[in-house]
Amino acid sequence: MVQLYNLHPFGSQRVVPCKQEPAHFCCGRDVLFVASAAASCRVEVFALRQQGRCEPLGSFATLGRVLRMAHSRTGDYLVTIEEKSKATFLRAYVNWRCMSAGSSRVCVRMVGHKVEESYSETLKEQMSIVEMPLSDPPLCISCCPVNGDLLVGCRNKLVMFCLKYLFINQNLTVLDFERSLILHVDNFIPAEIAFCARHIAITTELDVLILKLELVQQSADRTEQCAHSVRMLEKPVDGGLKDEGPSAHALQLDLDEFIMCQKPAELLGEESKLCEIPITLEYTELPTEDTKRFEVQYLLFRCFTPDQSPFGFCEETKLHSVQLLPIYQTGGSVTAHEETEIKKELLSLFCFFSLPHVGYLYSVGKLVELISTYQYSEKSEQAVLTPQFLHVITSENLQCFTVRCSAAAARDEDPYIDTTVKACPPVTLDVCTLRMQLFIGPRAICHFKNHIILLTKADTEDITERRKPTRKMLSRKAESIKSRANSEAEPGWNLYIINTVSTIQLYREMVDYSRTYENVKTESCIHLLSEAHLLVRAAIMDPHFFKSDEKEEILRAFRESCAFLGDCYSRFDTKDYHLALPYYRMSGLSMTEVLKRLVPEGDEIQTCERGFIFYLTHSLNEDLNEELSKESADKVLQIFCLADPVQLPHILCSPCMRNVCPLTAVKYLQKVEKSMPSVVLTLTKAFMALKMGDLTMYEHEMDSCKETVLACGFIGQPKLLRQWKEGIVMPTEFAVHLKETQPGLLVAATVALHENSKIELEEADTFFKMLCGNRESTVPQLLVDFWEALLVVCSQEETLQELLLRLTSQYVSRILKKQLPETQPLKTTEDLINSCNHFGLIFPWVTSIMSVGSPCAKGYCEDISKLQSLLCSQSINIASALPVLEPLTEDGNVGLTIHVLCNTRLGKYEEAIDLLLKRCPDAAVLYAQHELKDDSRAVWWNKLLPELCKRARLTGNDCPVFISSLKETLSVVAMELELRDFLNFLPEDGTAAFFLPHLLHCSQRKVLT
């Protein structure tokens, strides 16, 4: 559906002072080329200035009558199809500015032939006419706006010429062309073509085919072989008719009397291969290592049938105005050929083509899809697509339609569009007609920046009507600044430059127009504001936007349009109400400003639409740095009490609501509690009571639920405990109070938050450090309590090991510094052993070692036992913990136990025994009895027995501990070994009386078994 609005996109108009009737014209950079229809074979050049002023720059002669012409912005050359002596030629006019400036020097040369000889230092200021010979007459041409390459359409083929820059000397670079590729398209006669970034659009009278040349990586040998094979396969285009017999010729004559209509078809993407139009590539440039090779990718095929509608006859149904429109993603600027150009990267590509009564706009970039269909009120003659508008000429009108290119390109550029962060009007939004401007006999149209070039030519019967002063055109600023000597001989034609109004002016008109629908037709209001938004967005996506004088004004308009759309989706009851949030975000408005727009001061709040509630809910639930005033916060309370009372507890916990009146909040909460009680609501009431300083009410609310229920209640609203301010997590007054009165509840609640992914481990660290007022480098006891409590429930191995390392590091740090915790730990070692399997029972030999020496302070001793308990479990990764444990030396009992525990966990039993025999021999046998089992049992006789014999021999009766330990060891070994093996381990110089009892015991065990 096309909606019609009577807006004013066209501004003033001026007449181009042509000396002769134009036959063809085109725009390029800052100039207008006009080829005359007379036999003079000249091209007039006009400079396009601001406000549509047109100044003649000069003219130059062509070698033949111009049939078609196009200008390439890249390379600044003009290419023409010319006719002379009933033959057609393809020519490119390079360095034409010299000729239009008055220079008479012209160089005519064949493409690629000895360019250096045509130029010298004295003759560099000359125009070059480059002849491009073709085996078939050229029918249509198109220049690539990205790289300046040229595509020529001939019967059954397309020929591509690559633009080249030839370095003559330090001061002179010359343009040339190289025929690089021929696309053979069987039984396909192109009427029009478009070429952009290796994308090709071809139309016949009723068919459209869009292709892309995909780069293919090939080796040099394969490239040469492929090029040779393609040349061998090429056949003459008309060779297929030579062998036909008389019967075939007669059949062809009979068929010519009928109109053969294909069935309408639309094939998109991969399906377009089914169009049965074979394409063969022939490479004509000399193969090198840098030669590009392509394969054809079919993007779109569409076949139409002749129009059978009342508007036209079959023979009038022809496609026209095929165009590829690129939209760029701009980067930095580069300097080339003494002019500053914007470095452009292709973002999106669109293709437009039209039938007499309907036009089609497709996206052919990342995804091939139909974007818009344009229904014309009368038969169209020609159309031109721009990023902002589609301009169509009919027999009596210049029509201006809106387009959806910027909406599609915005989604290609920004992945956040169509989320809660950013929004853009949909690509499927109905297009509209902004204006239908009357003209007499429009014949041709082209577009340049904010100018439309329009050729009109009245029929003989229209001239009398035109002279009657019955209508004004475009609020007629027309200034007839041309003088035409042959006006009577050639009456009725004009070449106009029509200025489109500035983006800001048309945007303002659209916004003002939308207000007429504000209280009547909400969809029309949203539609017009969406059109205004897309108009501004298209201006921002222009590559030259950041150098525009209107840059700041357009950015303000963009933010304003977002605010207007946010207002619409907040005030109106629409299915897309959720768009209020991203549009308000893009507008840059604060929540206070939005509240003032939607709820003016003094107005009583009666109802609120879903969009407004959706915006407020999401904004308040996010960690914004904005704090509402008391009046605004109370207004928000009133809004939610009416619209969504369930959300009140969550809204009150928002950082934005810090200034809310707690007494008013409690009254609203009590109303909600009667119908919808919850733990979160109870906690919120307690929070408000704290703000009021009413401890009695606080205690009443906290005592109404069990502590475990309260801990789980914080999962429903974590902001009761912590909030974000300028990117830093901050504890609330509630958390501060819990720290002093119920630290166990605070720790349990934080553990519940972590296990439900409401708080990260690092975030919890910062929270407790901020809560306890500690420096970043110090760890408060409450954080240690949190780590210990989290170990009880933690199931993720990575987090588990991180917690074990943190606790180990903290215990070691306190032991080394002999530092007592600043608060009483919530759990003792015994509590942790009973509740958490990551804390193990302390081994007897560890207790034995610790019993020797002076006792430690109670808190200090607790850290030691917790560390030993951690290492006595099988959870911690000892290899990772070694660097943390290294500072504990072996000198003290604590260090000794830790080192022996580490050696044991690593399987270094012999090193552990050496340490014990050296530092605490009393515990050696006890250690062996506990640790040397199963696979490690052999250490008894391989290590412990020889070491004890050795040390007993050295010390004798001076160290009875070695004698007693040796006896216990011999008793164990005697039970484990065979008699012969046992004898082998006994020392040869040992006292028989000492070892004989053990030998007898070993032999008796053998007899018994």
Side-chain angles (χ1 to χ4, degrees), residues 193-235:
I193 58 173
F195 186 36
C196 179
R198 302 201 308 273
H199 290 75
I200 300 171
I202 320 166
T203 61
T204 62
E205 289 188 355
L206 292 171
D207 296 336
V208 181
L209 179 62
I210 303 178
L211 314 167
K212 183 181 180 182
L213 297 176
E214 286 282 7
L215 280 171
V216 178
Q217 299 295 331
Q218 286 184 315
S219 62
D221 294 341
R222 174 65 181 157
T223 298
E224 194 168 338
Q225 181 183 353
C226 179
H228 177 71
S229 62
V230 169
R231 291 192 186 97
M232 295 297 292
L233 287 171
E234 185 183 10
K235 297 179 180 180

Side-chain angles (χ1 to χ4, degrees), residues 218-280:
Q218 286 184 315
S219 62
D221 294 341
R222 174 65 181 157
T223 298
E224 194 168 338
Q225 181 183 353
C226 179
H228 177 71
S229 62
V230 169
R231 291 192 186 97
M232 295 297 292
L233 287 171
E234 185 183 10
K235 297 179 180 180
V237 173
D238 55 351
L241 297 175
K242 292 182 180 179
D243 297 331
E244 292 183 355
S247 59
H249 183 67
L251 179 62
Q252 182 65 40
L253 291 175
D254 291 340
L255 289 175
D256 288 343
E257 298 178 6
F258 297 91
I259 298 175
M260 305 299 294
C261 299
Q262 289 185 331
K263 185 179 179 181
E266 182 187 39
L267 301 175
L268 300 176
E270 290 296 323
E271 290 184 356
S272 57
K273 291 180 180 179
L274 304 176
C275 65
E276 297 182 355
I277 300 176
I279 297 175
T280 306

Side-chain angles (χ1 to χ4, degrees), residues 135-207:
S135 59
D136 294 282
L139 303 176
C140 45
I141 50 177
S142 179
C143 301
C144 175
V146 177
N147 54 29
D149 291 348
L150 172 65
L151 188 69
V152 184
C154 305
R155 182 183 179 88
N156 294 336
K157 69 172 66 173
L158 302 173
V159 184
M160 188 170 77
F161 290 87
C162 289
L163 180 65
K164 299 173 65 177
Y165 294 91
L166 300 180
F167 180 77
I168 305 300
N169 56 51
Q170 189 174 1
N171 300 318
L172 182 60
T173 302
V174 178
L175 293 185
D176 196 20
F177 299 87
E178 181 181 11
R179 188 177 67 168
S180 60
L181 182 65
I182 299 176
L183 291 85
H184 296 277
V185 189
D186 293 344
N187 301 318
F188 208 82
I189 303 175
E192 292 183 349
I193 58 173
F195 186 36
C196 179
R198 302 201 308 273
H199 290 75
I200 300 171
I202 320 166
T203 61
T204 62
E205 289 188 355
L206 292 171
D207 296 336

Side-chain angles (χ1 to χ4, degrees), residues 312-563:
F313 301 102
C314 292
E315 59 269 20
E316 294 179 343
T317 305
K318 294 181 181 179
L319 288 162
H320 65 79
S321 304
V322 65
Q323 182 179 346
L324 287 172
L325 176 71
I327 290 186
Y328 301 101
Q329 189 164 9
T330 57
S333 63
V334 294
T335 302
H337 308 295
E338 301 180 358
E339 291 189 25
T340 300
E341 295 286 345
I342 301 297
K343 187 178 181 181
K344 297 177 290 189
E345 180 182 345
L346 187 67
L347 174 66
S348 303
L349 189 63
F350 304 92
C351 182
F352 175 82
F353 50 86
S354 182
L355 288 169
H357 295 284
V358 61
Y360 301 92
L361 178 61
Y362 281 84
S363 169
V364 293
K366 298 176 182 177
L367 182 67
V368 181
E369 61 179 340
L370 177 64
I371 292 180
S372 304
T373 302
Y374 297 87
Q375 298 286 342
Y376 311 137
S377 58
E378 53 184 299
K379 180 174 176 288
S380 63
E381 301 291 338
Q382 192 182 351
V384 59
L385 178 69
T386 75
Q388 290 181 311
F389 305 110
L390 173 69
H391 301 291
V392 180
I393 56 173
T394 66
S395 58
E396 294 184 348
N397 281 301
L398 168 61
Q399 300 182 5
C400 178
F401 296 86
T402 57
V403 295
R404 301 290 166 258
C405 298
S406 59
R411 287 167 170 82
D412 289 339
E413 184 177 40
D414 195 339
Y416 288 102
I417 287 181
D418 296 328
T419 66
T420 57
V421 179
K422 294 181 183 178
C424 180
V427 177
T428 55
L429 183 72
D430 290 339
V431 296
C432 69
T433 308
L434 295 181
R435 187 77 176 174
M436 298 175 68
Q437 184 67 48
L438 290 172
F439 273 94
I440 296 177
R443 296 299 174 87
I445 186 174
C446 74
H447 174 269
F448 172 71
K449 291 186 178 178
N450 61 330
H451 309 298
I452 298 170
I453 317 300
L454 180 65
L455 174 64
T456 64
K457 187 173 183 181
D459 295 331
T460 306
E461 61 268 21
D462 294 333
I463 296 175
T464 305
E465 287 295 322
R466 190 185 66 171
R467 288 174 180 170
K468 293 180 182 180
T470 58
R471 85 172 50 98
K472 288 185 178 181
M473 291 187 185
L474 309 172
S475 66
R476 255 314 204 188
K477 274 189 183 177
E479 301 174 12
S480 184
I481 58 173
K482 73 171 186 175
S483 60
R484 205 166 56 233
N486 57 345
S487 60
E488 293 186 5
E490 295 288 345
W493 64 265
N494 273 309
L495 188 63
Y496 294 103
I497 296 182
I498 304 168
N499 298 316
T500 55
V501 300
S502 68
T503 299
I504 294 299
Q505 183 178 337
L506 184 57
Y507 164 78
R508 297 291 178 206
E509 187 180 6
M510 285 181 168
V511 171
D512 292 341
Y513 199 170
S514 70
R515 294 194 175 103
T516 62
Y517 296 104
E518 197 167 13
N519 299 317
V520 185
K521 294 176 68 178
T522 58
E523 291 301 322
S524 295
C525 180
I526 292 176
H527 186 275
L528 255 176
L529 287 173
S530 297
E531 293 286 8
H533 177 86
L534 289 175
L535 180 74
V536 177
R537 187 182 280 276
I540 292 174
M541 299 185 81
D542 186 280
H544 300 88
F545 166 72
F546 290 102
K547 291 189 176 183
S548 169
D549 295 335
E550 294 183 326
K551 174 185 171 183
E552 295 301 324
E553 195 173 1
I554 289 175
L555 289 175
R556 280 196 299 271
F558 178 80
R559 291 190 290 269
E560 183 185 70
S561 71
C562 293

Side-chain angles (χ1 to χ4, degrees), residues 505-730:
Q505 183 178 337
L506 184 57
Y507 164 78
R508 297 291 178 206
E509 187 180 6
M510 285 181 168
V511 171
D512 292 341
Y513 199 170
S514 70
R515 294 194 175 103
T516 62
Y517 296 104
E518 197 167 13
N519 299 317
V520 185
K521 294 176 68 178
T522 58
E523 291 301 322
S524 295
C525 180
I526 292 176
H527 186 275
L528 255 176
L529 287 173
S530 297
E531 293 286 8
H533 177 86
L534 289 175
L535 180 74
V536 177
R537 187 182 280 276
I540 292 174
M541 299 185 81
D542 186 280
H544 300 88
F545 166 72
F546 290 102
K547 291 189 176 183
S548 169
D549 295 335
E550 294 183 326
K551 174 185 171 183
E552 295 301 324
E553 195 173 1
I554 289 175
L555 289 175
R556 280 196 299 271
F558 178 80
R559 291 190 290 269
E560 183 185 70
S561 71
C562 293
F564 286 145
L565 284 168
D567 292 344
C568 287
Y569 288 112
S570 294
R571 287 174 175 155
F572 303 151
D573 184 16
T574 69
K575 62 182 179 63
D576 296 321
Y577 65 89
H578 60 277
L579 293 175
L581 176 63
Y583 277 121
Y584 275 140
R585 281 178 169 168
M586 293 161 64
S587 72
L589 293 175
S590 66
M591 206 182 318
T592 302
E593 291 169 327
V594 172
L595 283 168
K596 288 180 180 178
R597 292 170 73 95
L598 299 178
V599 189
E601 294 290 339
D603 286 12
E604 184 179 351
I605 302 170
Q606 295 179 347
T607 58
C608 293
E609 295 296 344
R610 292 179 296 169
F612 185 33
I613 299 301
F614 185 83
Y615 163 74
L616 283 178
T617 302
H618 278 74
S619 298
L620 291 168
N621 284 333
E622 292 177 2
D623 297 305
L624 303 179
N625 293 326
E626 178 185 3
E627 289 187 14
L628 297 177
S629 65
K630 179 180 178 299
E631 293 75 16
S632 297
D634 291 347
K635 193 179 294 184
V636 169
L637 275 184
Q638 186 181 353
I639 290 170
F640 277 93
C641 189
L642 289 172
D644 194 1
V646 178
Q647 292 294 326
L648 270 180
H650 305 282
I651 296 307
L652 285 167
C653 297
S654 169
C656 304
M657 300 287 285
R658 286 191 181 98
N659 299 322
V660 71
C661 174
L663 183 60
T664 306
V666 169
K667 290 179 181 179
Y668 280 120
L669 289 171
Q670 287 171 343
K671 289 181 182 179
V672 177
E673 191 176 30
K674 292 177 182 179
S675 56
M676 291 170 285
S678 68
V679 182
V680 175
L681 192 147
T682 300
L683 289 170
T684 307
K685 285 177 67 179
F687 190 13
M688 294 298 110
L690 272 181
K691 286 193 170 188
M692 291 189 294
D694 190 345
L695 293 180
T696 304
M697 179 183 173
Y698 168 82
E699 290 171 0
H700 172 74
E701 297 298 334
M702 295 298 285
D703 292 341
S704 63
C705 297
K706 293 181 179 180
E707 193 168 285
T708 53
V709 176
L710 291 175
C712 294
F714 286 105
I715 300 171
Q717 187 45 260
K719 290 179 183 176
L720 285 164
L721 293 179
R722 58 104 177 96
Q723 295 176 349
W724 289 86
K725 185 175 183 181
E726 297 179 358
I728 302 174
V729 63
M730 301 290 292

